[in-house]
Amino acid sequence: MWPRDARVARLWGVTLDNKCYNTYLVSMPLTLQEEIRQRKPFVSTEEEAMLSIARTAAVLDHTAGEMLKKHGLTVTQYNALRILRGAGEGLCRNEIRDRLIARVPDATRLLDRLEESGLVTRTREGEDRRFVLSRITPAGLELLARLDPEVSAMNRRLLGHLSQGKLRTLIDLMAEARNPG
């Protein structure tokens, strides 16, 4: 339930958008604990970091998903198309699956949908009929070319407030977190 007047809106931490009326702009809390309205402190700094990474990934993924949905793609389908564009030549299903940002249980079904959409072709190569190469089609390349500026703008909107140094630190910390050994 949204607040009905500015006084209540301030108590809730939202501000009225007077230009659009009845629209509220939620100001982002400073800490994860405030954002998720958690009253008790986190059990550990590791727990807070883990939840913060998960929450940030969810927010970024949701934003990308909403933008890609307008083009008939999911984030995973977009990722698969980018992998195929970058590879140049065709790749087998397992190679695509291993390169995906988010793991999927059924890469075959992912490629089926892309093929049905005309964005990918698959061909059997050589004597081993089990070996199937997936390639991005001209329509897939065209779609990615149209999406590139929109994706770049979204990335700048979401992360452009961070300096290059902070972005590099973030990238390095995330790599370190993924490889604890």
Side-chain angles (χ1 to χ4, degrees), residues 32-45:
L32 177 65
Q33 191 170 358
E34 292 170 334
E35 185 177 343
I36 63 174
R37 297 182 188 110
Q38 179 171 315
R39 293 190 176 136
K40 295 179 183 177
F42 292 103
V43 172
S44 65
T45 308

Side-chain angles (χ1 to χ4, degrees), residues 43-87:
V43 172
S44 65
T45 308
E46 291 84 1
E47 178 189 47
E48 183 177 5
M50 189 73 167
L51 292 172
S52 187
I53 291 167
R55 176 67 175 182
T56 304
V59 168
L60 298 176
D61 191 59
H62 175 76
T63 304
E66 289 298 306
M67 186 268 298
L68 292 169
K69 188 189 306 183
K70 293 182 279 182
H71 300 278
L73 289 177
T74 66
V75 172
T76 305
Q77 289 169 334
Y78 172 74
N79 185 214
L81 289 174
R82 287 188 65 240
I83 289 165
L84 288 169
R85 176 176 64 180

Side-chain angles (χ1 to χ4, degrees), residues 59-125:
V59 168
L60 298 176
D61 191 59
H62 175 76
T63 304
E66 289 298 306
M67 186 268 298
L68 292 169
K69 188 189 306 183
K70 293 182 279 182
H71 300 278
L73 289 177
T74 66
V75 172
T76 305
Q77 289 169 334
Y78 172 74
N79 185 214
L81 289 174
R82 287 188 65 240
I83 289 165
L84 288 169
R85 176 176 64 180
E89 72 245 12
L91 294 173
C92 71
R93 179 199 67 220
N94 291 342
E95 182 68 24
I96 295 167
R97 181 199 64 213
D98 293 345
R99 292 183 185 196
L100 288 170
I101 299 296
R103 301 287 185 217
V104 294
D106 193 353
T108 300
R109 199 166 16 217
L110 168 68
L111 293 168
D112 286 344
R113 285 190 213 107
L114 290 170
E115 186 175 36
E116 288 166 9
S117 299
L119 302 172
V120 165
T121 59
R122 291 187 287 183
T123 56
R124 298 195 185 284
E125 301 283 325

Side-chain angles (χ1 to χ4, degrees), residues 173-181:
L173 288 170
M174 293 293 106
E176 215 174 305
R178 282 192 309 276
N179 303 295

Side-chain angles (χ1 to χ4, degrees), residues 102-174:
R103 301 287 185 217
V104 294
D106 193 353
T108 300
R109 199 166 16 217
L110 168 68
L111 293 168
D112 286 344
R113 285 190 213 107
L114 290 170
E115 186 175 36
E116 288 166 9
S117 299
L119 302 172
V120 165
T121 59
R122 291 187 287 183
T123 56
R124 298 195 185 284
E125 301 283 325
E127 295 191 16
D128 186 351
R129 293 190 28 84
R130 295 172 299 173
F131 189 74
V132 178
L133 280 182
S134 297
R135 292 180 177 86
I136 190 166
T137 64
L141 289 170
E142 230 175 80
L143 177 59
L144 288 182
R146 284 195 321 268
L147 282 170
D148 285 342
E150 196 171 341
V151 169
S152 290
M154 178 192 65
N155 290 338
R156 280 190 304 278
R157 191 174 67 253
L158 293 171
L159 298 172
H161 63 286
L162 299 173
S163 69
Q164 292 298 303
K166 283 186 177 182
L167 286 170
R168 178 51 47 204
T169 299
L170 178 62
I171 292 165
D172 293 344
L173 288 170
M174 293 293 106

